[in-house]
Amino acid sequence: MCQRFSRPSRRCGVGGYTSAVSSVIEQSPWPSHRWTAFRRALRDWYVREHRPLAWRPAPGQRGEPYAVLVSEAMLQQTQVATVEPYFDRFMKRFATVESLAAADEADVLHVWQGLGYYRRARHLHRAAKMIVDEHGGRMPSTADALIHLPGVGRYTAGAIASIAFGERTPILDGNVARVLARLFGIDASIDEPATKAALWSLAERVVAGRLAAGDLNQAMMELGARRCTPRGPKCPRCPVRGFCAAAQAGRAEQLPVRSGRRAPKAVTHRVIAVQRGRRWLFERRGDVGLWAGMWQMPTFEGGAQEPGAGRNAAEPRRFAAESFVAERFGVDLGEARAVGRFEHVTTHRRIAFVVHRAMVHGGRLRSGAGVWRTLDAADDLPMSNAQRRVVQMVAASAQVGCSIA
Ligand code: SF4
């Protein structure tokens, strides 16, 4: 039999992904009584087995809007178990949208520190300001209005509107897309715009009944996180197995189909830990780009082929650390000594960190170029996990008083 949502094939006689997917959506792949039974099975499982979380309302209840906003910002690209302690810490420090709006960005980044993807923190901060300045401190209550907040896309708007305000509006994130692709046996890439549009239509059907949309949306996310996992889906324990095309065809592991993703770009970040007595030099990154606004030890960023990038590079200690530091900070360095190296991978970059240290021999720190801190006091500066690791390496090397070549 011809699989619905399948790749185009002669046997199916359809013209491409778009027609294959959208025609099924137009016809609706399930009759309404099947949707009703599906929603009930999904919701009942969620009521029985949901994980109680600090930001999550009890089934049938509505969430506190500010807590839902913060949690949704933190949960983007991050798992629940990682978010939980950060959420508690954040809510203790910024208990209300007003307190967040009034905070300095550096304080917000510092509390967010370690969670990564710092753009989310800056967006959340700006969203809080907008809620206070333009909405009198009250969160907009519809997905259409929420989507105008910084950092709030269609998914996040739908999540907040349905969970906190009960709006019957869908969500589609990686978890939900995976569940739907398997339920309906969708062979087309879920990265294709036509497939995404089809998945949004299916997500709308999920919340179209009389059951609370917030519960159903959270149930779909919970199902994706705990049963319909990317690898090793737990189909025998799945509450909607009887509805699932992929499970019935024994193809759950093969779905969803993803388009090829670009490999992370290889780059090198060369750190010069600059020491003056007991204090070290730190600089603030610019306001845009990776780790914007975070602090770091002086770092020169280059491509993978910069001089000294490889272990066998001819002059790894003379990649111009002295002139780089003199030019940017106005201080003169003694001989740089190697501290160590490590790799840090982000969504788009594979970064080789190469760390050196050097003593100041002269010059004067240029105004506004950086600050001197002891390594202990540097705890107060918001820093990426990678730069925290740099500081730890430098601290260890300073303790033993030697270099690691
Ligand atoms: Fe996912 Fe398996 Fe459940 Fe289908 S039966 S939704 S593949 S866990």
Side-chain angles (χ1 to χ4, degrees), residues 179 182-183 223 227-229 233-235 238-241 244 246-247 252:
V179 172
R182 287 172 173 168
L183 275 171
L223 189 70
R227 293 289 187 274
C228 200
T229 47
K234 295 145 192 78
C235 301
C238 177
V240 293
R241 187 170 200 277
C244 183

Side-chain angles (χ1 to χ4, degrees), residues 281 324-332 360 362-366 369:
L281 183 55
F324 159 65
V325 170
E327 208 173 282
R328 192 184 290 186
F329 301 97
V331 295
D332 302 324
V360 170
R364 188 184 182 86
L365 180 60
R366 189 165 291 132

Side-chain angles (χ1 to χ4, degrees), residues 101-118:
D104 285 341
E105 184 182 278
D107 287 344
V108 178
L109 291 174
H110 194 254
V111 177
W112 194 278
Q113 181 176 281
L115 195 54
Y117 301 105
Y118 296 93

Side-chain angles (χ1 to χ4, degrees), residues 57-113:
Q61 305 292 312
R62 292 190 183 169
E64 198 285 308
Y66 173 60
V68 176
L69 171 71
V70 172
S71 67
E72 288 300 334
M74 290 187 165
L75 285 164
Q76 288 166 20
Q77 314 212 39
T78 309
Q79 295 194 338
V80 164
T82 306
V83 164
E84 282 186 287
Y86 286 94
F87 178 83
D88 290 343
R89 197 170 75 181
F90 195 93
M91 294 301 279
K92 277 198 184 90
R93 178 70 180 78
F94 308 113
T96 63
V97 70
E98 287 83 3
S99 63
L100 178 58
D104 285 341
E105 184 182 278
D107 287 344
V108 178
L109 291 174
H110 194 254
V111 177
W112 194 278
Q113 181 176 281

Side-chain angles (χ1 to χ4, degrees), residues 339-360:
V339 170
R341 62 180 68 218
F342 64 92
E343 187 174 85
H344 183 88
V345 180
T346 69
T347 310
H348 302 297
R349 296 177 181 83
R350 205 177 71 247
I351 307 171
F353 273 85
V354 181
V355 185
H356 287 71
R357 49 184 282 217
M359 301 285 284
V360 170

Side-chain angles (χ1 to χ4, degrees), residues 3 19 71 88 97 102 134 139 290 296 305 391:
Q3 271 278 347
S19 58
S71 67
D88 290 343
V97 70
E134 299 179 20
M139 185 98 74
L290 181 68
Q296 62 185 14
Q305 301 307 316
V391 171

Side-chain angles (χ1 to χ4, degrees), residues 262-331:
R262 273 190 294 173
K265 186 179 169 193
V267 295
T268 301
H269 284 196
R270 238 164 254 299
V271 183
I272 313 297
V274 178
Q275 184 177 12
R276 193 184 70 180
R278 291 185 56 245
R279 298 194 298 169
W280 300 76
L281 183 55
F282 290 87
E283 63 174 347
R284 185 180 178 276
R285 293 179 67 86
D287 287 328
V288 293
L290 181 68
W291 298 319
M294 307 293 279
W295 288 76
Q296 62 185 14
M297 288 186 147
T299 301
F300 173 84
E301 299 175 19
Q305 301 307 316
E306 291 296 319
R311 287 176 183 278
N312 299 320
E315 294 185 291
R317 295 181 187 181
R318 295 180 56 78
F319 84 97
E322 297 88 344
S323 57
F324 159 65
V325 170
E327 208 173 282
R328 192 184 290 186
F329 301 97
V331 295

